[in-house]
Amino acid sequence: GITPCVLGKIGINSCTGPKCGDKIQFDGKDIGQVTSAVQSPKYNGMLALGYVRREHAKAGTKVSINNHSAEVIELCGNGSSV
């Protein structure tokens, strides 16, 4: 079946941004993927948008992208599943 995912903003501890389609991981397991990334003055670093599994879609969840530590900052929209 299809796993419900939620679009979220993810702050990344890296100078270079991930690419569309890069995997978002939690404890070494794939839980989503990046849709886009930009350098964000507001968040003082890299910011990615990505879909993550609903059970990991909470602000403060520690994740990784390309072996860089990252954190779910907030959900986009109303947090509805896709």
Side-chain angles (χ1 to χ4, degrees):
I2 297 173
T3 303
C5 292
V6 176
L7 185 64
K9 293 179 186 174
I10 302 166
I12 308 162
N13 293 323
S14 172
C15 294
T16 59
K19 296 179 184 89
C20 180
D22 283 353
K23 302 297 182 199
I24 300 168
Q25 296 189 318
F26 179 83
D27 284 342
K29 296 182 181 174
D30 293 348
I31 61 157
Q33 70 179 32
V34 172
T35 59
S36 60
V38 296
Q39 183 69 33
S40 171
K42 178 178 178 180
Y43 293 102
N44 196 28
M46 291 304 302
L47 179 70
L49 289 179
Y51 285 103
V52 295
R53 292 180 186 219
R54 179 163 279 294
E55 62 267 26
H56 301 290
K58 297 174 186 70
T61 300
K62 306 291 185 198
V63 297
S64 65
I65 301 172
N66 297 333
N67 294 318
H68 294 285
S69 61
E71 181 177 333
V72 176
I73 296 173
E74 64 180 301
L75 303 182
C76 298
N78 62 6
S80 297
S81 296
V82 178

Coordinates of all heavy atoms in Angstrom, one line a residue:
G1 N 0.8 -1.2 0.0 CA 0.0 0.0 0.0 C 0.9 1.2 0.0 O 2.1 1.2 0.1
I2 N 0.2 2.4 -0.1 CA 0.9 3.6 -0.2 C 1.0 4.2 1.3 O 0.0 4.2 2.0 CB 0.2 4.6 -1.1 CG1 0.2 4.1 -2.5 CG2 0.8 6.0 -1.0 CD1 -0.7 5.0 -3.4
T3 N 2.2 4.6 1.6 CA 2.4 5.2 3.0 C 2.1 6.7 2.9 O 2.7 7.4 2.1 CB 3.9 5.0 3.4 OG1 4.2 3.6 3.4 CG2 4.1 5.6 4.8
P4 N 1.2 7.2 3.8 CA 0.9 8.6 3.8 C 2.1 9.4 4.2 O 2.9 9.1 5.1 CB -0.2 8.8 4.9 CG -0.7 7.4 5.1 CD 0.4 6.4 4.8
C5 N 2.4 10.5 3.4 CA 3.5 11.4 3.7 C 3.0 12.8 3.8 O 1.9 13.2 3.4 CB 4.5 11.3 2.5 SG 5.3 9.7 2.4
V6 N 3.8 13.6 4.5 CA 3.5 15.0 4.8 C 4.7 15.9 4.3 O 5.8 15.5 4.4 CB 3.3 15.2 6.3 CG1 3.1 16.7 6.6 CG2 2.2 14.4 6.8
L7 N 4.3 17.0 3.7 CA 5.4 18.0 3.2 C 5.8 18.8 4.4 O 5.0 19.4 5.2 CB 4.8 18.9 2.1 CG 5.8 19.9 1.5 CD1 6.9 19.1 0.7 CD2 5.0 20.8 0.5
G8 N 7.2 18.9 4.6 CA 7.7 19.6 5.7 C 8.9 20.4 5.3 O 9.6 20.1 4.3
K9 N 9.3 21.4 6.2 CA 10.5 22.2 6.0 C 11.5 21.5 6.9 O 11.3 21.2 8.1 CB 10.3 23.6 6.5 CG 9.4 24.4 5.7 CD 9.2 25.8 6.2 CE 8.2 26.6 5.5 NZ 7.9 27.9 6.1
I10 N 12.7 21.3 6.3 CA 13.8 20.6 7.0 C 15.1 21.4 7.0 O 15.6 21.7 5.9 CB 14.0 19.2 6.4 CG1 12.7 18.4 6.4 CG2 15.1 18.4 7.1 CD1 12.7 17.2 5.5
G11 N 15.6 21.8 8.1 CA 16.9 22.5 8.2 C 18.0 21.5 8.1 O 17.9 20.4 8.7
I12 N 19.1 21.8 7.4 CA 20.2 20.9 7.1 C 21.5 21.5 7.6 O 21.8 22.7 7.3 CB 20.3 20.6 5.6 CG1 18.9 20.1 5.1 CG2 21.3 19.5 5.4 CD1 18.8 20.2 3.6
N13 N 22.3 20.8 8.3 CA 23.6 21.2 8.7 C 24.6 20.9 7.6 O 25.4 19.9 7.7 CB 24.0 20.5 10.0 CG 23.2 21.0 11.2 OD1 22.8 22.2 11.2 ND2 22.9 20.1 12.1
S14 N 24.6 21.7 6.6 CA 25.5 21.5 5.4 C 25.6 22.8 4.6 O 24.6 23.6 4.6 CB 24.9 20.4 4.5 OG 25.6 20.3 3.3
C15 N 26.7 23.0 4.0 CA 26.9 24.2 3.2 C 26.3 24.0 1.8 O 26.0 24.9 1.1 CB 28.4 24.5 3.0 SG 29.1 25.0 4.6
T16 N 26.2 22.8 1.4 CA 25.6 22.5 0.1 C 24.3 21.8 0.2 O 24.0 21.0 1.1 CB 26.5 21.5 -0.7 OG1 26.7 20.3 0.0 CG2 27.9 22.2 -1.0
G17 N 23.4 22.2 -0.7 CA 22.0 21.6 -0.6 C 21.8 20.3 -1.2 O 22.6 19.9 -2.1
P18 N 20.9 19.5 -0.7 CA 20.6 18.2 -1.4 C 19.9 18.5 -2.7 O 19.4 19.6 -3.0 CB 19.6 17.6 -0.4 CG 19.0 18.7 0.3 CD 20.0 19.8 0.4
K19 N 19.8 17.4 -3.5 CA 19.1 17.5 -4.8 C 17.7 16.9 -4.7 O 17.4 16.1 -3.8 CB 19.9 16.7 -5.8 CG 21.3 17.3 -6.1 CD 22.0 16.5 -7.1 CE 23.4 17.0 -7.3 NZ 24.4 16.4 -6.4
C20 N 16.8 17.3 -5.6 CA 15.5 16.7 -5.7 C 15.6 15.2 -5.8 O 16.4 14.7 -6.6 CB 14.8 17.3 -6.9 SG 13.1 16.6 -7.1
G21 N 14.9 14.5 -4.9 CA 14.9 13.0 -4.9 C 15.9 12.4 -3.9 O 15.8 11.2 -3.7
D22 N 16.8 13.2 -3.3 CA 17.6 12.7 -2.3 C 16.8 12.1 -1.1 O 15.8 12.7 -0.8 CB 18.6 13.7 -1.7 CG 19.8 14.0 -2.7 OD1 19.9 13.3 -3.7 OD2 20.5 14.9 -2.4
K23 N 17.3 11.0 -0.5 CA 16.5 10.4 0.6 C 16.7 11.1 1.9 O 17.7 11.6 2.2 CB 17.0 8.9 0.7 CG 16.9 8.1 -0.5 CD 15.5 8.0 -1.0 CE 15.4 7.1 -2.2 NZ 14.2 7.2 -2.9
I24 N 15.6 11.2 2.6 CA 15.6 11.6 4.0 C 15.5 10.4 4.9 O 14.7 9.5 4.6 CB 14.3 12.5 4.3 CG1 14.3 13.7 3.3 CG2 14.3 13.0 5.7 CD1 13.0 14.5 3.3
Q25 N 16.4 10.3 5.9 CA 16.5 9.1 6.7 C 16.3 9.4 8.2 O 16.6 10.5 8.6 CB 17.9 8.4 6.5 CG 18.1 7.9 5.1 CD 19.3 7.1 4.9 OE1 20.3 7.4 5.5 NE2 19.2 6.0 4.2
F26 N 15.8 8.4 8.8 CA 15.7 8.4 10.3 C 16.2 7.1 10.8 O 15.8 6.0 10.3 CB 14.2 8.6 10.7 CG 13.9 8.6 12.1 CD1 14.1 9.7 12.9 CD2 13.5 7.4 12.8 CE1 13.9 9.7 14.2 CE2 13.3 7.4 14.2 CZ 13.5 8.6 14.9
D27 N 17.2 7.1 11.7 CA 17.8 5.9 12.2 C 18.3 5.0 11.0 O 18.1 3.8 11.1 CB 16.9 5.1 13.1 CG 16.9 5.8 14.5 OD1 17.7 6.6 14.8 OD2 15.9 5.5 15.2
G28 N 18.8 5.6 9.9 CA 19.3 4.8 8.8 C 18.3 4.2 7.9 O 18.7 3.6 6.9
K29 N 17.0 4.5 8.1 CA 16.0 4.0 7.2 C 15.4 5.2 6.4 O 15.2 6.3 7.0 CB 14.9 3.3 8.0 CG 15.4 2.1 8.7 CD 14.3 1.4 9.5 CE 14.9 0.2 10.2 NZ 14.0 -0.5 11.1
D30 N 15.1 4.9 5.2 CA 14.4 5.9 4.3 C 13.0 6.2 4.8 O 12.2 5.3 5.0 CB 14.4 5.5 2.9 CG 15.8 5.3 2.2 OD1 16.7 5.8 2.8 OD2 15.8 4.7 1.1
I31 N 12.8 7.5 5.0 CA 11.4 7.9 5.5 C 10.8 9.0 4.6 O 9.7 9.4 4.8 CB 11.4 8.4 6.9 CG1 12.3 9.7 7.0 CG2 11.8 7.3 7.9 CD1 12.0 10.6 8.2
G32 N 11.5 9.4 3.5 CA 11.0 10.4 2.6 C 12.0 10.8 1.6 O 13.1 10.2 1.5
Q33 N 11.7 11.9 0.9 CA 12.6 12.4 -0.1 C 12.5 13.9 -0.2 O 11.4 14.5 0.0 CB 12.5 11.7 -1.4 CG 11.2 12.0 -2.2 CD 11.2 11.2 -3.5 OE1 11.7 10.1 -3.6 NE2 10.6 11.8 -4.5
V34 N 13.6 14.5 -0.6 CA 13.7 16.0 -0.8 C 13.0 16.3 -2.1 O 13.1 15.6 -3.1 CB 15.1 16.4 -0.9 CG1 15.3 17.9 -1.3 CG2 15.8 16.1 0.4
T35 N 12.2 17.4 -2.1 CA 11.6 17.9 -3.4 C 12.4 19.2 -3.9 O 12.4 19.4 -5.1 CB 10.1 18.3 -3.1 OG1 10.0 19.3 -2.1 CG2 9.3 17.1 -2.8
S36 N 13.0 20.0 -3.0 CA 13.8 21.1 -3.3 C 14.6 21.6 -2.1 O 14.3 21.2 -1.0 CB 12.8 22.3 -3.9 OG 11.9 22.7 -2.8
A37 N 15.6 22.5 -2.4 CA 16.4 23.0 -1.3 C 16.9 24.4 -1.7 O 17.1 24.6 -2.9 CB 17.5 22.1 -1.0
V38 N 17.1 25.3 -0.7 CA 17.6 26.6 -1.0 C 18.4 27.0 0.2 O 18.3 26.5 1.3 CB 16.4 27.7 -1.2 CG1 15.6 27.4 -2.4 CG2 15.5 27.8 0.0
Q39 N 19.2 28.1 0.0 CA 19.9 28.7 1.1 C 18.9 29.7 1.7 O 18.4 30.5 1.0 CB 21.2 29.5 0.6 CG 22.0 30.1 1.7 CD 22.7 29.1 2.6 OE1 23.1 28.0 2.2 NE2 22.8 29.5 3.8
S40 N 18.7 29.6 3.0 CA 17.6 30.4 3.6 C 18.2 31.4 4.7 O 18.7 31.0 5.7 CB 16.6 29.5 4.3 OG 15.7 30.3 5.1
P41 N 18.1 32.7 4.4 CA 18.6 33.7 5.4 C 17.7 33.6 6.6 O 18.2 33.8 7.7 CB 18.4 35.0 4.7 CG 18.2 34.7 3.2 CD 17.7 33.3 3.1
K42 N 16.4 33.3 6.5 CA 15.5 33.3 7.7 C 16.0 32.2 8.6 O 16.0 32.4 9.8 CB 14.1 33.0 7.2 CG 13.1 32.9 8.4 CD 11.7 32.7 7.9 CE 10.8 32.5 9.1 NZ 9.4 32.3 8.7
Y43 N 16.4 31.0 8.1 CA 16.8 29.9 8.9 C 18.3 29.8 9.1 O 18.9 28.9 9.7 CB 16.2 28.6 8.4 CG 14.7 28.5 8.5 CD1 13.9 28.8 7.4 CD2 14.1 28.3 9.8 CE1 12.5 28.7 7.5 CE2 12.8 28.3 9.9 CZ 12.0 28.5 8.8 OH 10.6 28.5 8.9
N44 N 19.0 30.8 8.5 CA 20.5 30.9 8.6 C 21.2 29.6 8.2 O 22.0 29.1 8.9 CB 20.9 31.3 10.0 CG 22.3 31.7 10.1 OD1 22.9 32.3 9.1 ND2 23.0 31.5 11.3
G45 N 20.8 29.1 7.0 CA 21.4 27.9 6.5 C 20.6 27.2 5.4 O 19.7 27.9 4.8
M46 N 20.9 26.0 5.1 CA 20.2 25.3 4.1 C 18.8 24.9 4.6 O 18.6 24.4 5.7 CB 20.9 24.0 3.6 CG 22.2 24.3 2.9 SD 22.0 25.3 1.4 CE 20.8 24.4 0.4
L47 N 17.8 25.0 3.7 CA 16.4 24.6 4.0 C 15.9 23.7 2.9 O 16.1 24.1 1.7 CB 15.6 25.8 4.2 CG 14.1 25.5 4.5 CD1 13.9 25.0 5.9 CD2 13.3 26.8 4.3
A48 N 15.4 22.6 3.2 CA 14.9 21.7 2.2 C 13.4 21.5 2.4 O 12.9 21.6 3.5 CB 15.5 20.3 2.2
L49 N 12.6 21.3 1.3 CA 11.3 20.9 1.4 C 11.3 19.4 1.0 O 12.0 19.0 0.1 CB 10.4 21.6 0.4 CG 10.1 23.1 0.7 CD1 9.2 23.6 -0.4 CD2 9.4 23.2 2.1
G50 N 10.5 18.6 1.7 CA 10.5 17.2 1.4 C 9.3 16.5 2.0 O 8.7 17.0 3.0
Y51 N 9.0 15.4 1.4 CA 7.9 14.6 1.9 C 8.5 13.5 2.9 O 9.4 12.9 2.6 CB 7.1 13.8 0.8 CG 6.2 14.8 0.0 CD1 6.6 15.2 -1.2 CD2 5.0 15.2 0.6 CE1 5.8 16.1 -1.9 CE2 4.2 16.0 -0.1 CZ 4.6 16.5 -1.4 OH 3.8 17.3 -2.1
V52 N 7.9 13.5 4.1 CA 8.3 12.5 5.1 C 7.1 11.7 5.6 O 6.0 12.2 5.5 CB 9.0 13.1 6.3 CG1 10.3 13.8 5.9 CG2 8.2 14.2 7.0
R53 N 7.4 10.5 6.0 CA 6.3 9.6 6.6 C 5.6 10.4 7.7 O 6.3 11.0 8.5 CB 6.8 8.3 7.0 CG 7.2 7.4 5.8 CD 7.7 6.1 6.3 NE 8.3 5.4 5.2 CZ 8.1 4.1 5.0 NH1 7.5 3.4 5.9 NH2 8.6 3.5 4.0
R54 N 4.3 10.2 7.8 CA 3.5 10.9 8.8 C 4.1 10.7 10.2 O 4.1 11.6 11.0 CB 2.0 10.5 8.8 CG 1.2 11.2 9.8 CD -0.2 11.2 9.6 NE -0.7 12.1 8.7 CZ -0.7 13.5 8.8 NH1 -0.2 14.0 9.9 NH2 -1.3 14.3 8.0
E55 N 4.5 9.5 10.6 CA 5.0 9.2 11.9 C 6.3 10.0 12.3 O 6.6 10.1 13.5 CB 5.1 7.7 12.2 CG 6.2 7.0 11.3 CD 5.6 6.4 10.1 OE1 4.5 6.9 9.6 OE2 6.2 5.5 9.5
H56 N 7.0 10.5 11.3 CA 8.2 11.3 11.5 C 8.0 12.8 11.3 O 8.9 13.6 11.4 CB 9.3 10.8 10.7 CG 9.6 9.3 10.9 ND1 10.2 8.9 12.1 CD2 9.4 8.2 10.2 CE1 10.3 7.6 12.0 NE2 9.8 7.2 10.9
A57 N 6.8 13.2 10.9 CA 6.4 14.6 10.5 C 6.1 15.4 11.8 O 4.9 15.8 11.9 CB 5.3 14.6 9.5
K58 N 7.1 15.6 12.6 CA 6.9 16.4 13.8 C 8.0 17.4 13.9 O 9.2 17.0 13.8 CB 6.8 15.5 15.1 CG 5.6 14.5 15.1 CD 5.7 13.6 16.2 CE 4.7 12.5 16.2 NZ 4.8 11.5 15.1
A59 N 7.8 18.6 14.3 CA 8.8 19.6 14.5 C 9.8 19.1 15.5 O 9.4 18.5 16.6 CB 8.3 20.9 14.9
G60 N 11.1 19.1 15.2 CA 12.1 18.7 16.2 C 12.6 17.3 15.9 O 13.6 16.9 16.5
T61 N 12.0 16.5 15.0 CA 12.5 15.2 14.6 C 13.8 15.3 14.0 O 14.0 16.0 13.0 CB 11.5 14.5 13.7 OG1 10.2 14.4 14.4 CG2 12.0 13.1 13.3
K62 N 14.8 14.6 14.5 CA 16.2 14.6 14.0 C 16.2 13.6 12.8 O 15.8 12.4 13.0 CB 17.2 14.2 15.0 CG 17.1 15.1 16.3 CD 17.6 16.5 16.0 CE 17.6 17.3 17.3 NZ 17.7 18.7 17.1
V63 N 16.7 14.0 11.7 CA 16.8 13.1 10.5 C 18.2 13.4 9.9 O 19.0 14.1 10.4 CB 15.7 13.4 9.5 CG1 14.3 13.1 10.1 CG2 15.7 14.9 9.0
S64 N 18.4 12.7 8.7 CA 19.6 13.0 8.0 C 19.4 13.0 6.5 O 18.4 12.3 6.0 CB 20.7 12.0 8.3 OG 20.4 10.7 7.9
I65 N 20.1 13.8 5.8 CA 20.1 13.8 4.3 C 21.5 13.8 3.8 O 22.3 14.7 4.2 CB 19.4 15.1 3.9 CG1 17.9 15.2 4.4 CG2 19.3 15.2 2.3 CD1 17.2 16.5 4.1
N66 N 21.8 12.8 3.0 CA 23.2 12.7 2.5 C 24.3 12.7 3.6 O 25.3 13.3 3.5 CB 23.5 13.8 1.5 CG 22.6 13.7 0.3 OD1 22.1 12.6 -0.1 ND2 22.4 14.8 -0.4
N67 N 24.0 12.0 4.7 CA 24.8 11.9 5.9 C 25.1 13.2 6.6 O 26.1 13.3 7.3 CB 26.2 11.2 5.5 CG 26.0 9.8 5.0 OD1 25.3 9.0 5.6 ND2 26.7 9.4 4.0
H68 N 24.2 14.2 6.3 CA 24.3 15.4 7.1 C 23.1 15.4 8.1 O 22.0 15.1 7.7 CB 24.2 16.6 6.2 CG 25.4 16.8 5.2 ND1 26.6 17.2 5.7 CD2 25.5 16.5 3.9 CE1 27.4 17.2 4.7 NE2 26.8 16.8 3.6
S69 N 23.4 15.9 9.3 CA 22.3 16.0 10.3 C 21.3 17.0 9.8 O 21.7 18.0 9.2 CB 22.9 16.3 11.7 OG 23.5 17.5 11.7
A70 N 20.1 16.8 10.1 CA 19.0 17.7 9.7 C 17.9 17.5 10.7 O 17.9 16.7 11.6 CB 18.5 17.3 8.3
E71 N 16.9 18.5 10.7 CA 15.8 18.5 11.6 C 14.5 19.0 10.9 O 14.6 20.0 10.2 CB 16.2 19.4 12.8 CG 15.1 19.4 13.8 CD 15.5 20.3 15.0 OE1 16.7 20.4 15.3 OE2 14.6 20.8 15.7
V72 N 13.4 18.3 11.2 CA 12.1 18.8 10.7 C 11.8 20.1 11.5 O 11.8 20.1 12.7 CB 11.0 17.7 10.9 CG1 9.7 18.3 10.5 CG2 11.3 16.4 10.1
I73 N 11.6 21.2 10.8 CA 11.4 22.4 11.4 C 9.9 22.7 11.6 O 9.4 23.0 12.7 CB 12.0 23.6 10.6 CG1 13.5 23.5 10.5 CG2 11.6 25.0 11.1 CD1 14.1 24.5 9.6
E74 N 9.1 22.5 10.5 CA 7.7 22.6 10.6 C 7.0 22.0 9.4 O 7.7 21.7 8.4 CB 7.3 24.1 10.7 CG 7.6 24.9 9.5 CD 7.2 26.4 9.6 OE1 6.0 26.6 9.8 OE2 8.1 27.2 9.4
L75 N 5.7 21.7 9.5 CA 5.0 21.1 8.4 C 4.4 22.3 7.6 O 4.2 23.4 8.0 CB 3.8 20.3 8.9 CG 4.2 19.1 9.9 CD1 3.0 18.4 10.3 CD2 5.3 18.3 9.2
C76 N 4.3 22.0 6.3 CA 3.7 23.0 5.4 C 2.2 22.8 5.3 O 1.7 21.7 5.4 CB 4.3 22.8 4.0 SG 6.1 23.0 4.0
G77 N 1.5 23.9 5.0 CA 0.1 23.8 4.9 C -0.6 23.4 6.2 O -0.1 23.8 7.3
N78 N -1.5 22.5 6.1 CA -2.2 22.1 7.3 C -1.7 20.7 7.8 O -2.3 20.1 8.6 CB -3.7 22.0 7.1 CG -4.1 21.0 6.0 OD1 -3.3 20.3 5.5 ND2 -5.4 21.1 5.7
G79 N -0.6 20.2 7.2 CA -0.1 18.9 7.6 C -0.9 17.7 7.1 O -0.7 16.6 7.6
S80 N -1.7 17.9 6.1 CA -2.5 16.8 5.5 C -1.6 15.8 4.8 O -0.6 16.2 4.2 CB -3.5 17.4 4.5 OG -4.4 18.2 5.1
S81 N -1.9 14.6 4.9 CA -1.2 13.5 4.2 C -1.4 13.6 2.7 O -2.4 14.1 2.2 CB -1.7 12.1 4.6 OG -1.4 12.0 6.0
V82 N -0.4 13.2 2.0 CA -0.5 13.1 0.5 C -0.4 11.7 0.1 O 0.3 10.9 0.6 CB 0.7 13.9 -0.1 CG1 0.6 13.8 -1.6 CG2 0.7 15.3 0.3

